[in-house]
Amino acid sequence: MGLEDPIMMRTTEYLAAILMLSAASAMADAGDPPSRVARLNYQSGAVSFRPGSVEEWTAATLNYPLTSGDHLWTEDGAQTEMHIGSTAIRMSSRTALGILNLDDRTVQLSLTQGSLDVRLRSLGEDETFEVDTPNVAVSLVRPGEYRINVDGDNAISVVAVREGEAEVTGGDAAFSVRAGESARLIGMDAATQDIGAAPPRDDFDRWSEERDRREERPQSAQYVSREMTGSEDLDEYGTWREEAEYGWVWAPRTVAVGWAPYRYGHWAWVEPWGWTWVDDAPWGFAPFHYGRWAYFGGGWVWVPGTMVARPVYAPALVAFVGGPRFGVAVGIGGGVAWFPLGPREVYRPAYHVSEVYVQRVNVTHVTNVTVINNVNVTNVRYVNQNVQGAVTAVPRDAFVSARPVRDHAMAVNARDMAQAPVVGTTAQVAPERRSVLGQPDRGAAAAPPARYAERPVVARSAPAPPPVPFAAKQQALQANQGRPLDAATENRLRGNAPARAPMVRRVTPPQGGQPDSRRQAAPPSARPPQPPQPPPVTRENIPRNDRPQRPVQEPVRTPPPAAQQPPRPVERQVETPPRPAERRVEPPARPVERQVETPPRPAERRVEPPARPVERQVETPPRPAERKAEPPARPVERQVETPPRPAERKAEEPPKRGGEKKVEKKPDKKGERKDDKKGQ
C-alpha cells in the first residue's frame, strides 16, 4: 500500500495538470508573456549578441534566454546552437540572425546572411515556423531537417530539405520543397527558381548531425517533456533517481564545494519577465527555469514535478528576502539576497500576468487552484530559507551590473537570513543598461556589417511589435521597484518614442490564400519556364485559367510527358488529301485531336486523355496504316479485299464516283493490288 499511494498521488496530479492546462489554453490572457524562450546552449568562436531594446552589441552568454527582437552574429570560424524546446537551431560562421517573433505558436527568424541548420522535432497543427530571407519567406510545415543559405549581397537564397517539407514564398509565387530536394532562388521581386536534388553534406552539416546524435533517445524524456528547453543537457551532466517524497529527481554529477542553486551565474534584465537568472553551468537552464530544488540526502536535487507537454518558462524560481534585519546583515550600500523555491511552493510572478498564467506556471508542482490563487508569497514559511547555505547575497551594484555572483557573494548570518522577511519573487531594484546587456562593461563586441543588420527580409507572417528602447522607459522602470512595465505603459511609450521596427516586406501566397502542404499531397501544376511555347491541350487548358502565376519548378522535377511532343506530325495528317473526314470538320485554329476523334466515334473520345492512340497514328508512316488506326479492330487487309470499299467512298462523296477513284491515290491502289497478288 505504501508504494501504491505515491503512484496514485502522482497519477492524480498528472490528470489535474492536464485539466488545468486545457482550461488555461481556452482562457489564456492575450497580455501574458510567452511560455517559451530560446536558449543559447553552445558556442565556438566569437559570437555576438544584441538585445532588442538596445543598439550595443556584446559578447553572447551561454544560457541567456532569447526572445522577440534579439539578434545574434557569428564571426569567422564561429558556430553556435540554440534550442526552443526540442528544436535545435544552428548557425555557421558569418551568419546574421534575428528573432522577429517567438511566442507560444510562432517562431519567426530573420536570416540576412550566412547559413542556418534547423532540426525541427515537433510542430503543432496551429504552430508556425518561418525563416525569412532577403528574397523569400521559408515556412517549415513538417518536422524534419532543413538547411538555409543566404548570400544577401547577391540576393541568393538556397533551401535544402533533408527531411520534412518547406513552403517557399516570394514575389507572386509559392511552392513546396520536399524531402531530398533543394531550391535555389536568385533575385528580389521576381526571383528565378531552380529545384534539384539536395546537395551533399558539408562540414557544417556533419557538425549538425553530430550535435543531433547526442540528443537521440534521451533518458530524460522519461521524466520531463522534450519541449522543456534545456532538458537536452541533463543526461550528460547528471543522474536521475526516484525518491518516495518527490518522485523522480535529478542531481548534477559534479559541483563545487558549498554549491547551492542560483549561486554560480549572474542576473540580467530580460523583457518582458524582468530579473532573470543566467547560470554558468553547461546544464544550467532547465533546473533554474522549471521545477523546484530540495536539499535531500546531504545534497541538492532538482525536482521537476509532474510531466506536462510544454511546461511554462519562468525567469527564476526564487524568493527574495529583505527588510531592516537584512539591511543590517549586509552592511552599508545595501544588497540583494535570494533562495530557491522548494517542492510544492507557489511561484507568483512579479511581471503582469493573468490568473490562468499563474496556474500554468505552477501546474507541475501545485495543482490546487485555490492554494495558488490565495497564496501570499510574503506570508509563507519557505522550506529552503532555513537550509544552511541556501541563501545567497551580493551587493546591489554587483547584482545590477550582471557581475558573477560567486565572485561577489557576501557572508551572511544564517539565523538572520532565516528570519528575514520575504519581499517577493523579484528584486526591488531598478535595472540599468548593463543589466540589459547581461554583461559588465567590457567594451563593444564584434558587430555584423551594417548592410547585414539593416537588410530587409521577405515575410509571410507579421512580426511582433518592436521592443521599446530601454532608454525610453528607464525612468518608468526606476519608479516601478524592479517590476517590468505593464502592456498599456509599454504601448504608450512605444508611441511616444517609436522604436526601429523590423525591416520586413510582407508577402502573401498567390490566389490570396496560404497553401497547406500538410494536407495536400502535391502542389498545383506549374507553368513551364522556358522556352515560352504553348503547351498541349491535355496539360495546360484546365489549370491555366485559375493559376496564371504559379512557380516554375514542377517541370524541373518531372520531365514533360511524351504526349506533349507530337503536335506537328498530327497537323501533317490533317493536310493530307486522302482523309475526307478531316476536310469536313476542319476548323484551322482548333487542335486536331478533338476534331478527328470526336465527331465520328464517341468511343475514341473516351480514350482521348491518354493520347497514346494519337502517338501510334503519328509514328506509323504509311497512310493505309492510318486508315487502320481510324476504325480500331479492323485490319487494312480486310478493307482492301472487301469489294464494297469503293462503295463506301461513293457514299462519302456521291457527286464524283469514277473521277474520284482515278485522282485519289492511284499509285497506292496499284501497289495494293500487286501486294495482294503476291500474297495470293
Side-chain angles (χ1 to χ4, degrees):
M1 190 66 180
L3 289 175
E4 293 176 2
D5 288 342
I7 295 174
M8 182 63 69
M9 182 178 65
R10 287 179 62 82
T11 303
T12 304
E13 292 175 352
Y14 181 73
L15 294 175
I18 293 175
L19 293 174
M20 185 179 294
L21 288 176
S22 300
S25 61
M27 300 170 56
D29 193 309
D32 288 339
S35 66
R36 59 179 179 171
V37 296
R39 171 213 180 194
L40 189 66
N41 63 285
Y42 175 89
Q43 68 179 67
S44 172
V47 181
S48 302
F49 162 68
R50 181 174 74 81
S53 61
V54 298
E55 295 299 322
E56 296 97 327
W57 287 83
T58 186
T61 306
L62 288 181
N63 293 323
Y64 193 98
L66 304 172
T67 188
S68 301
D70 292 342
H71 298 266
L72 288 172
W73 163 253
T74 53
E75 280 287 299
D76 284 327
Q79 292 175 325
T80 190
E81 175 185 273
M82 61 179 175
H83 271 74
I84 305 173
S86 62
T87 296
I89 302 167
R90 302 179 179 99
M91 299 168 55
S92 185
S93 63
R94 295 196 65 78
T95 297
L97 183 73
I99 302 178
L100 296 177
N101 196 3
L102 176 55
D103 58 26
D104 292 1
R105 293 181 175 86
T106 304
V107 177
Q108 185 178 10
L109 307 176
S110 165
L111 180 65
T112 57
Q113 181 68 28
S115 298
L116 199 69
D117 179 274
V118 178
R119 184 68 170 92
L120 184 61
R121 290 186 170 86
S122 176
L123 187 68
E125 285 296 322
D126 61 342
E127 295 178 1
T128 300
F129 198 110
E130 181 176 320
V131 180
D132 299 328
T133 77
N135 57 349
V136 292
V138 184
S139 300
L140 312 185
V141 297
R142 299 180 190 275
E145 182 185 355
Y146 302 88
R147 169 77 179 269
I148 303 173
N149 299 335
V150 170
D151 179 358
D153 294 335
N154 297 302
I156 299 175
S157 297
V158 179
V159 181
V161 180
R162 306 290 183 185
E163 302 173 22
E165 184 176 358
E167 286 177 359
V168 179
T169 306
D172 58 359
F175 59 95
S176 294
V177 184
R178 302 184 185 91
E181 293 180 341
S182 176
R184 181 182 177 88
L185 305 106
I186 305 174
M188 297 298 294
D189 295 329
T192 60
Q193 306 124 10
D194 181 22
I195 289 185
R201 296 182 183 270
D202 59 12
D203 291 341
F204 180 55
D205 291 320
R206 287 186 284 272
W207 174 75
S208 299
E209 273 189 311
E210 181 182 352
R211 298 289 300 174
D212 278 334
R213 279 194 293 270
R214 63 187 290 274
E215 298 180 25
E216 293 177 357
R217 301 181 182 85
Q219 179 188 0
S220 296
Q222 303 175 45
Y223 317 115
V224 296
S225 170
R226 294 200 70 176
E227 297 310 312
M228 176 186 286
T229 302
S231 64
E232 62 274 2
D233 287 319
L234 296 177
D235 290 349
E236 183 175 352
Y237 294 100
T239 57
W240 291 91
R241 69 176 188 263
E242 189 173 16
E243 299 292 347
E245 186 175 356
Y246 302 122
W248 286 96
V249 300
W250 180 90
R253 286 195 182 92
T254 305
V255 293
V257 177
W259 182 91
Y262 301 98
R263 181 169 297 170
Y264 288 76
H266 65 274
W267 292 92
W269 182 266
V270 180
E271 296 281 1
W273 299 274
W275 289 116
T276 300
W277 177 254
V278 181
D279 202 80
D280 292 341
W283 49 266
F285 195 88
F288 299 99
H289 300 288
Y290 310 91
R292 306 289 191 270
W293 282 92
Y295 192 81
F296 186 83
W300 290 97
V301 294
W302 177 59
V303 186
T306 304
M307 181 189 291
V308 296
R310 183 192 285 174
V312 177
Y313 162 87
L317 293 154
V318 300
F320 286 84
V321 298
R325 186 181 296 272
F326 172 72
V328 172
V330 298
I332 299 175
V336 183
W338 62 91
F339 60 85
L341 292 179
R344 307 184 188 96
E345 292 177 347
V346 175
Y347 169 73
R348 289 202 68 89
Y351 44 95
H352 297 271
V353 296
S354 65
E355 288 302 319
V356 170
Y357 180 94
V358 178
Q359 296 169 16
R360 293 177 61 205
V361 78
N362 285 284
V363 71
T364 58
H365 274 268
V366 185
T367 57
N368 189 324
V369 177
T370 303
V371 172
I372 295 174
N373 294 339
N374 295 335
V375 69
N376 183 349
V377 295
T378 63
N379 193 26
V380 174
R381 198 63 194 164
Y382 294 93
V383 60
N384 287 334
Q385 188 175 2
N386 297 314
V387 174
Q388 179 71 29
V391 179
T392 302
V394 295
R396 177 191 177 101
D397 182 70
F399 183 92
V400 171
S401 59
R403 298 188 183 278
V405 169
R406 70 176 182 273
D407 295 341
H408 297 83
M410 300 184 298
V412 292
N413 184 281
R415 181 177 299 177
D416 291 340
M417 292 298 100
Q419 296 176 1
V422 172
V423 297
T425 56
T426 189
Q428 297 178 344
V429 178
E432 300 177 358
R433 184 187 60 84
R434 297 175 296 174
S435 314
V436 178
L437 292 172
Q439 294 274 6
D441 292 326
R442 296 178 180 173
R451 66 183 188 277
Y452 298 161
E454 299 172 0
R455 184 172 289 153
V457 294
V458 174
R460 275 175 68 162
S461 304
V468 178
F470 179 76
K473 60 182 178 181
Q474 185 172 6
Q475 185 175 357
L477 287 170
Q478 288 175 350
N480 215 35
Q481 294 187 340
R483 298 182 62 190
L485 304 178
D486 59 80
T489 305
E490 287 272 344
N491 292 333
R492 178 175 55 82
L493 293 173
R494 185 179 288 111
N496 294 340
R500 185 176 65 181
M503 292 183 294
V504 299
R505 295 186 295 124
R506 292 288 306 283
V507 295
T508 56
Q511 312 298 318
Q514 179 174 348
D516 190 352
S517 295
R518 285 174 281 188
R519 294 171 178 82
Q520 296 178 358
S525 60
R527 188 172 58 198
Q530 56 184 359
Q533 58 185 8
V537 175
T538 57
R539 173 82 174 176
E540 189 68 20
N541 277 9
I542 295 176
R544 105 188 242 202
N545 292 334
D546 59 342
R547 300 178 193 266
Q549 294 181 339
R550 299 303 290 171
V552 299
Q553 280 72 23
E554 292 301 320
V556 179
R557 285 198 193 99
T558 307
Q564 296 178 2
Q565 306 297 333
R568 290 177 185 166
V570 175
E571 290 176 5
R572 289 194 205 105
Q573 294 174 11
V574 176
E575 294 171 1
T576 51
R579 298 179 71 176
E582 292 175 358
R583 284 195 202 110
R584 282 189 320 225
V585 286
E586 183 186 300
R590 298 178 64 185
V592 171
E593 290 84 347
R594 292 180 183 173
Q595 299 162 2
V596 175
E597 298 174 2
T598 313
R601 276 183 283 277
E604 290 186 12
R605 190 184 303 164
R606 289 192 300 266
V607 184
E608 182 188 356
R612 290 177 183 168
V614 180
E615 293 176 13
R616 292 195 193 102
Q617 293 174 7
V618 175
E619 292 173 1
T620 315
R623 289 188 176 87
E626 292 172 4
R627 292 193 199 112
K628 221 189 310 182
E630 231 174 85
R634 290 173 63 185
V636 176
E637 292 81 0
R638 196 176 296 167
Q639 294 174 2
V640 176
E641 291 174 3
T642 313
R645 184 86 176 159
E648 290 178 2
R649 289 187 198 147
K650 292 175 187 178
E652 292 174 357
E653 302 202 6
K656 296 181 182 181
R657 182 179 301 176
E660 183 76 13
K661 190 181 294 184
K662 292 178 183 179
V663 176
E664 181 182 356
K665 285 198 173 181
K666 188 172 182 180
D668 293 342
K669 282 290 180 179
K670 288 179 182 180
E672 288 175 5
R673 288 170 187 165
K674 288 178 184 180
D675 293 341
D676 292 342
K677 288 178 184 181
K678 289 178 183 181
Q680 291 173 359

PDB file of all heavy atoms in Angstrom, residues 24-52:
ATOM      1  N   ALA A  24      -6.542  26.365 -19.242  1.00  0.00           N
ATOM      2  CA  ALA A  24      -5.683  27.531 -19.446  1.00  0.00           C
ATOM      3  C   ALA A  24      -5.589  27.900 -20.915  1.00  0.00           C
ATOM      4  O   ALA A  24      -5.587  29.072 -21.278  1.00  0.00           O
ATOM      5  CB  ALA A  24      -4.288  27.257 -18.878  1.00  0.00           C
ATOM      6  N   SER A  25      -5.493  26.900 -21.778  1.00  0.00           N
ATOM      7  CA  SER A  25      -5.387  27.191 -23.204  1.00  0.00           C
ATOM      8  C   SER A  25      -6.627  27.887 -23.724  1.00  0.00           C
ATOM      9  O   SER A  25      -6.565  28.676 -24.664  1.00  0.00           O
ATOM     10  CB  SER A  25      -5.141  25.900 -23.992  1.00  0.00           C
ATOM     11  OG  SER A  25      -6.221  25.015 -23.818  1.00  0.00           O
ATOM     12  N   ALA A  26      -7.780  27.597 -23.121  1.00  0.00           N
ATOM     13  CA  ALA A  26      -9.016  28.229 -23.558  1.00  0.00           C
ATOM     14  C   ALA A  26      -9.193  29.617 -22.961  1.00  0.00           C
ATOM     15  O   ALA A  26      -9.935  30.438 -23.490  1.00  0.00           O
ATOM     16  CB  ALA A  26     -10.209  27.351 -23.177  1.00  0.00           C
ATOM     17  N   MET A  27      -8.513  29.913 -21.843  1.00  0.00           N
ATOM     18  CA  MET A  27      -8.744  31.164 -21.128  1.00  0.00           C
ATOM     19  C   MET A  27      -7.513  32.059 -21.111  1.00  0.00           C
ATOM     20  O   MET A  27      -7.492  33.070 -20.413  1.00  0.00           O
ATOM     21  CB  MET A  27      -9.144  30.854 -19.680  1.00  0.00           C
ATOM     22  CG  MET A  27     -10.400  30.028 -19.531  1.00  0.00           C
ATOM     23  SD  MET A  27     -10.623  29.459 -17.825  1.00  0.00           S
ATOM     24  CE  MET A  27     -10.580  31.012 -16.934  1.00  0.00           C
ATOM     25  N   ALA A  28      -6.464  31.693 -21.832  1.00  0.00           N
ATOM     26  CA  ALA A  28      -5.198  32.429 -21.734  1.00  0.00           C
ATOM     27  C   ALA A  28      -5.391  33.900 -22.077  1.00  0.00           C
ATOM     28  O   ALA A  28      -6.109  34.256 -23.000  1.00  0.00           O
ATOM     29  CB  ALA A  28      -4.172  31.806 -22.678  1.00  0.00           C
ATOM     30  N   ASP A  29      -4.758  34.752 -21.302  1.00  0.00           N
ATOM     31  CA  ASP A  29      -4.849  36.187 -21.487  1.00  0.00           C
ATOM     32  C   ASP A  29      -3.877  36.608 -22.581  1.00  0.00           C
ATOM     33  O   ASP A  29      -2.724  36.175 -22.609  1.00  0.00           O
ATOM     34  CB  ASP A  29      -4.498  36.886 -20.169  1.00  0.00           C
ATOM     35  CG  ASP A  29      -4.866  38.355 -20.201  1.00  0.00           C
ATOM     36  OD1 ASP A  29      -4.483  39.030 -21.155  1.00  0.00           O
ATOM     37  OD2 ASP A  29      -5.537  38.805 -19.252  1.00  0.00           O
ATOM     38  N   ALA A  30      -4.358  37.458 -23.477  1.00  0.00           N
ATOM     39  CA  ALA A  30      -3.506  37.904 -24.576  1.00  0.00           C
ATOM     40  C   ALA A  30      -2.321  38.714 -24.072  1.00  0.00           C
ATOM     41  O   ALA A  30      -1.325  38.863 -24.769  1.00  0.00           O
ATOM     42  CB  ALA A  30      -4.331  38.730 -25.561  1.00  0.00           C
ATOM     43  N   GLY A  31      -2.402  39.269 -22.867  1.00  0.00           N
ATOM     44  CA  GLY A  31      -1.307  40.057 -22.334  1.00  0.00           C
ATOM     45  C   GLY A  31      -0.253  39.255 -21.622  1.00  0.00           C
ATOM     46  O   GLY A  31       0.746  39.819 -21.162  1.00  0.00           O
ATOM     47  N   ASP A  32      -0.434  37.941 -21.496  1.00  0.00           N
ATOM     48  CA  ASP A  32       0.565  37.113 -20.826  1.00  0.00           C
ATOM     49  C   ASP A  32       1.830  37.007 -21.669  1.00  0.00           C
ATOM     50  O   ASP A  32       1.764  36.990 -22.904  1.00  0.00           O
ATOM     51  CB  ASP A  32       0.002  35.717 -20.571  1.00  0.00           C
ATOM     52  CG  ASP A  32      -1.051  35.709 -19.481  1.00  0.00           C
ATOM     53  OD1 ASP A  32      -1.061  36.656 -18.680  1.00  0.00           O
ATOM     54  OD2 ASP A  32      -1.859  34.762 -19.434  1.00  0.00           O
ATOM     55  N   PRO A  33       2.986  36.898 -21.036  1.00  0.00           N
ATOM     56  CA  PRO A  33       4.223  36.710 -21.802  1.00  0.00           C
ATOM     57  C   PRO A  33       4.259  35.321 -22.420  1.00  0.00           C
ATOM     58  O   PRO A  33       3.494  34.427 -22.036  1.00  0.00           O
ATOM     59  CB  PRO A  33       5.314  36.880 -20.747  1.00  0.00           C
ATOM     60  CG  PRO A  33       4.660  36.501 -19.466  1.00  0.00           C
ATOM     61  CD  PRO A  33       3.226  36.933 -19.589  1.00  0.00           C
ATOM     62  N   PRO A  34       5.154  35.097 -23.369  1.00  0.00           N
ATOM     63  CA  PRO A  34       5.259  33.764 -23.965  1.00  0.00           C
ATOM     64  C   PRO A  34       5.629  32.715 -22.925  1.00  0.00           C
ATOM     65  O   PRO A  34       6.293  33.011 -21.926  1.00  0.00           O
ATOM     66  CB  PRO A  34       6.372  33.929 -25.005  1.00  0.00           C
ATOM     67  CG  PRO A  34       6.440  35.392 -25.279  1.00  0.00           C
ATOM     68  CD  PRO A  34       6.060  36.065 -23.997  1.00  0.00           C
ATOM     69  N   SER A  35       5.211  31.487 -23.166  1.00  0.00           N
ATOM     70  CA  SER A  35       5.540  30.392 -22.249  1.00  0.00           C
ATOM     71  C   SER A  35       6.854  29.722 -22.607  1.00  0.00           C
ATOM     72  O   SER A  35       7.269  28.794 -21.929  1.00  0.00           O
ATOM     73  CB  SER A  35       4.420  29.347 -22.266  1.00  0.00           C
ATOM     74  OG  SER A  35       4.352  28.708 -23.536  1.00  0.00           O
ATOM     75  N   ARG A  36       7.533  30.174 -23.668  1.00  0.00           N
ATOM     76  CA  ARG A  36       8.798  29.562 -24.073  1.00  0.00           C
ATOM     77  C   ARG A  36       9.763  30.635 -24.558  1.00  0.00           C
ATOM     78  O   ARG A  36       9.364  31.721 -24.986  1.00  0.00           O
ATOM     79  CB  ARG A  36       8.572  28.515 -25.164  1.00  0.00           C
ATOM     80  CG  ARG A  36       7.915  29.072 -26.426  1.00  0.00           C
ATOM     81  CD  ARG A  36       7.747  27.998 -27.468  1.00  0.00           C
ATOM     82  NE  ARG A  36       7.091  28.510 -28.667  1.00  0.00           N
ATOM     83  CZ  ARG A  36       6.979  27.826 -29.812  1.00  0.00           C
ATOM     84  NH1 ARG A  36       7.475  26.599 -29.896  1.00  0.00           N
ATOM     85  NH2 ARG A  36       6.376  28.360 -30.852  1.00  0.00           N
ATOM     86  N   VAL A  37      11.046  30.302 -24.508  1.00  0.00           N
ATOM     87  CA  VAL A  37      12.119  31.178 -24.972  1.00  0.00           C
ATOM     88  C   VAL A  37      13.109  30.320 -25.749  1.00  0.00           C
ATOM     89  O   VAL A  37      13.015  29.089 -25.784  1.00  0.00           O
ATOM     90  CB  VAL A  37      12.843  31.866 -23.796  1.00  0.00           C
ATOM     91  CG1 VAL A  37      11.907  32.790 -23.046  1.00  0.00           C
ATOM     92  CG2 VAL A  37      13.457  30.828 -22.857  1.00  0.00           C
ATOM     93  N   ALA A  38      14.057  30.991 -26.382  1.00  0.00           N
ATOM     94  CA  ALA A  38      15.195  30.293 -26.985  1.00  0.00           C
ATOM     95  C   ALA A  38      16.360  30.351 -26.014  1.00  0.00           C
ATOM     96  O   ALA A  38      16.549  31.343 -25.310  1.00  0.00           O
ATOM     97  CB  ALA A  38      15.571  30.924 -28.315  1.00  0.00           C
ATOM     98  N   ARG A  39      17.112  29.287 -25.982  1.00  0.00           N
ATOM     99  CA  ARG A  39      18.271  29.208 -25.083  1.00  0.00           C
ATOM    100  C   ARG A  39      19.547  29.059 -25.912  1.00  0.00           C
ATOM    101  O   ARG A  39      19.661  28.165 -26.751  1.00  0.00           O
ATOM    102  CB  ARG A  39      18.136  28.003 -24.159  1.00  0.00           C
ATOM    103  CG  ARG A  39      19.387  27.712 -23.340  1.00  0.00           C
ATOM    104  CD  ARG A  39      19.567  26.229 -23.095  1.00  0.00           C
ATOM    105  NE  ARG A  39      20.760  25.934 -22.311  1.00  0.00           N
ATOM    106  CZ  ARG A  39      21.281  24.722 -22.178  1.00  0.00           C
ATOM    107  NH1 ARG A  39      20.703  23.677 -22.753  1.00  0.00           N
ATOM    108  NH2 ARG A  39      22.381  24.539 -21.474  1.00  0.00           N
ATOM    109  N   LEU A  40      20.502  29.945 -25.681  1.00  0.00           N
ATOM    110  CA  LEU A  40      21.814  29.814 -26.303  1.00  0.00           C
ATOM    111  C   LEU A  40      22.600  28.783 -25.504  1.00  0.00           C
ATOM    112  O   LEU A  40      23.050  29.051 -24.390  1.00  0.00           O
ATOM    113  CB  LEU A  40      22.532  31.165 -26.303  1.00  0.00           C
ATOM    114  CG  LEU A  40      23.831  31.243 -27.103  1.00  0.00           C
ATOM    115  CD1 LEU A  40      23.560  31.061 -28.586  1.00  0.00           C
ATOM    116  CD2 LEU A  40      24.520  32.583 -26.855  1.00  0.00           C
ATOM    117  N   ASN A  41      22.761  27.565 -26.074  1.00  0.00           N
ATOM    118  CA  ASN A  41      23.327  26.469 -25.284  1.00  0.00           C
ATOM    119  C   ASN A  41      24.710  26.003 -25.742  1.00  0.00           C
ATOM    120  O   ASN A  41      25.324  25.181 -25.065  1.00  0.00           O
ATOM    121  CB  ASN A  41      22.381  25.265 -25.291  1.00  0.00           C
ATOM    122  CG  ASN A  41      22.175  24.683 -26.669  1.00  0.00           C
ATOM    123  OD1 ASN A  41      21.469  25.268 -27.481  1.00  0.00           O
ATOM    124  ND2 ASN A  41      22.771  23.528 -26.943  1.00  0.00           N
ATOM    125  N   TYR A  42      25.210  26.531 -26.871  1.00  0.00           N
ATOM    126  CA  TYR A  42      26.552  26.118 -27.307  1.00  0.00           C
ATOM    127  C   TYR A  42      27.121  27.228 -28.182  1.00  0.00           C
ATOM    128  O   TYR A  42      26.412  27.833 -28.993  1.00  0.00           O
ATOM    129  CB  TYR A  42      26.498  24.815 -28.100  1.00  0.00           C
ATOM    130  CG  TYR A  42      27.839  24.412 -28.686  1.00  0.00           C
ATOM    131  CD1 TYR A  42      28.723  23.631 -27.950  1.00  0.00           C
ATOM    132  CD2 TYR A  42      28.220  24.819 -29.957  1.00  0.00           C
ATOM    133  CE1 TYR A  42      29.963  23.280 -28.467  1.00  0.00           C
ATOM    134  CE2 TYR A  42      29.452  24.467 -30.486  1.00  0.00           C
ATOM    135  CZ  TYR A  42      30.320  23.696 -29.741  1.00  0.00           C
ATOM    136  OH  TYR A  42      31.551  23.350 -30.250  1.00  0.00           O
ATOM    137  N   GLN A  43      28.426  27.477 -28.024  1.00  0.00           N
ATOM    138  CA  GLN A  43      29.097  28.401 -28.929  1.00  0.00           C
ATOM    139  C   GLN A  43      30.566  28.044 -29.031  1.00  0.00           C
ATOM    140  O   GLN A  43      31.186  27.572 -28.077  1.00  0.00           O
ATOM    141  CB  GLN A  43      28.926  29.853 -28.473  1.00  0.00           C
ATOM    142  CG  GLN A  43      29.633  30.222 -27.186  1.00  0.00           C
ATOM    143  CD  GLN A  43      29.429  31.688 -26.833  1.00  0.00           C
ATOM    144  OE1 GLN A  43      28.329  32.108 -26.519  1.00  0.00           O
ATOM    145  NE2 GLN A  43      30.508  32.460 -26.900  1.00  0.00           N
ATOM    146  N   SER A  44      31.092  28.232 -30.227  1.00  0.00           N
ATOM    147  CA  SER A  44      32.507  28.010 -30.501  1.00  0.00           C
ATOM    148  C   SER A  44      32.991  29.189 -31.328  1.00  0.00           C
ATOM    149  O   SER A  44      32.460  29.465 -32.405  1.00  0.00           O
ATOM    150  CB  SER A  44      32.706  26.690 -31.265  1.00  0.00           C
ATOM    151  OG  SER A  44      34.046  26.560 -31.697  1.00  0.00           O
ATOM    152  N   GLY A  45      33.991  29.907 -30.819  1.00  0.00           N
ATOM    153  CA  GLY A  45      34.445  31.106 -31.502  1.00  0.00           C
ATOM    154  C   GLY A  45      33.712  32.339 -31.000  1.00  0.00           C
ATOM    155  O   GLY A  45      32.995  32.312 -30.001  1.00  0.00           O
ATOM    156  N   ALA A  46      33.901  33.442 -31.709  1.00  0.00           N
ATOM    157  CA  ALA A  46      33.346  34.731 -31.290  1.00  0.00           C
ATOM    158  C   ALA A  46      31.896  34.851 -31.756  1.00  0.00           C
ATOM    159  O   ALA A  46      31.610  34.873 -32.955  1.00  0.00           O
ATOM    160  CB  ALA A  46      34.180  35.869 -31.862  1.00  0.00           C
ATOM    161  N   VAL A  47      30.981  34.915 -30.793  1.00  0.00           N
ATOM    162  CA  VAL A  47      29.552  35.073 -31.070  1.00  0.00           C
ATOM    163  C   VAL A  47      29.079  36.329 -30.353  1.00  0.00           C
ATOM    164  O   VAL A  47      29.330  36.503 -29.157  1.00  0.00           O
ATOM    165  CB  VAL A  47      28.743  33.849 -30.590  1.00  0.00           C
ATOM    166  CG1 VAL A  47      27.258  34.033 -30.906  1.00  0.00           C
ATOM    167  CG2 VAL A  47      29.273  32.571 -31.233  1.00  0.00           C
ATOM    168  N   SER A  48      28.409  37.218 -31.072  1.00  0.00           N
ATOM    169  CA  SER A  48      27.942  38.486 -30.513  1.00  0.00           C
ATOM    170  C   SER A  48      26.430  38.477 -30.387  1.00  0.00           C
ATOM    171  O   SER A  48      25.725  37.783 -31.129  1.00  0.00           O
ATOM    172  CB  SER A  48      28.382  39.666 -31.391  1.00  0.00           C
ATOM    173  OG  SER A  48      29.792  39.699 -31.516  1.00  0.00           O
ATOM    174  N   PHE A  49      25.940  39.296 -29.441  1.00  0.00           N
ATOM    175  CA  PHE A  49      24.519  39.322 -29.119  1.00  0.00           C
ATOM    176  C   PHE A  49      24.074  40.770 -28.929  1.00  0.00           C
ATOM    177  O   PHE A  49      24.805  41.582 -28.353  1.00  0.00           O
ATOM    178  CB  PHE A  49      24.278  38.525 -27.833  1.00  0.00           C
ATOM    179  CG  PHE A  49      22.970  38.807 -27.154  1.00  0.00           C
ATOM    180  CD1 PHE A  49      21.764  38.443 -27.738  1.00  0.00           C
ATOM    181  CD2 PHE A  49      22.942  39.439 -25.924  1.00  0.00           C
ATOM    182  CE1 PHE A  49      20.563  38.714 -27.117  1.00  0.00           C
ATOM    183  CE2 PHE A  49      21.747  39.700 -25.285  1.00  0.00           C
ATOM    184  CZ  PHE A  49      20.545  39.344 -25.883  1.00  0.00           C
ATOM    185  N   ARG A  50      22.874  41.083 -29.451  1.00  0.00           N
ATOM    186  CA  ARG A  50      22.291  42.401 -29.223  1.00  0.00           C
ATOM    187  C   ARG A  50      20.850  42.244 -28.766  1.00  0.00           C
ATOM    188  O   ARG A  50      20.014  41.729 -29.514  1.00  0.00           O
ATOM    189  CB  ARG A  50      22.328  43.262 -30.492  1.00  0.00           C
ATOM    190  CG  ARG A  50      21.745  44.666 -30.273  1.00  0.00           C
ATOM    191  CD  ARG A  50      21.921  45.545 -31.490  1.00  0.00           C
ATOM    192  NE  ARG A  50      21.023  45.207 -32.560  1.00  0.00           N
ATOM    193  CZ  ARG A  50      19.741  45.590 -32.638  1.00  0.00           C
ATOM    194  NH1 ARG A  50      19.202  46.310 -31.654  1.00  0.00           N
ATOM    195  NH2 ARG A  50      19.009  45.250 -33.678  1.00  0.00           N
ATOM    196  N   PRO A  51      20.523  42.660 -27.524  1.00  0.00           N
ATOM    197  CA  PRO A  51      19.126  42.638 -27.100  1.00  0.00           C
ATOM    198  C   PRO A  51      18.285  43.599 -27.942  1.00  0.00           C
ATOM    199  O   PRO A  51      18.797  44.583 -28.490  1.00  0.00           O
ATOM    200  CB  PRO A  51      19.196  43.085 -25.636  1.00  0.00           C
ATOM    201  CG  PRO A  51      20.628  42.920 -25.232  1.00  0.00           C
ATOM    202  CD  PRO A  51      21.430  43.121 -26.472  1.00  0.00           C
ATOM    203  N   GLY A  52      16.989  43.311 -28.004  1.00  0.00           N
ATOM    204  CA  GLY A  52      16.140  44.106 -28.873  1.00  0.00           C
ATOM    205  C   GLY A  52      15.941  45.536 -28.433  1.00  0.00           C
ATOM    206  O   GLY A  52      15.611  46.399 -29.257  1.00  0.00           O
TER     207      GLY A  52
END
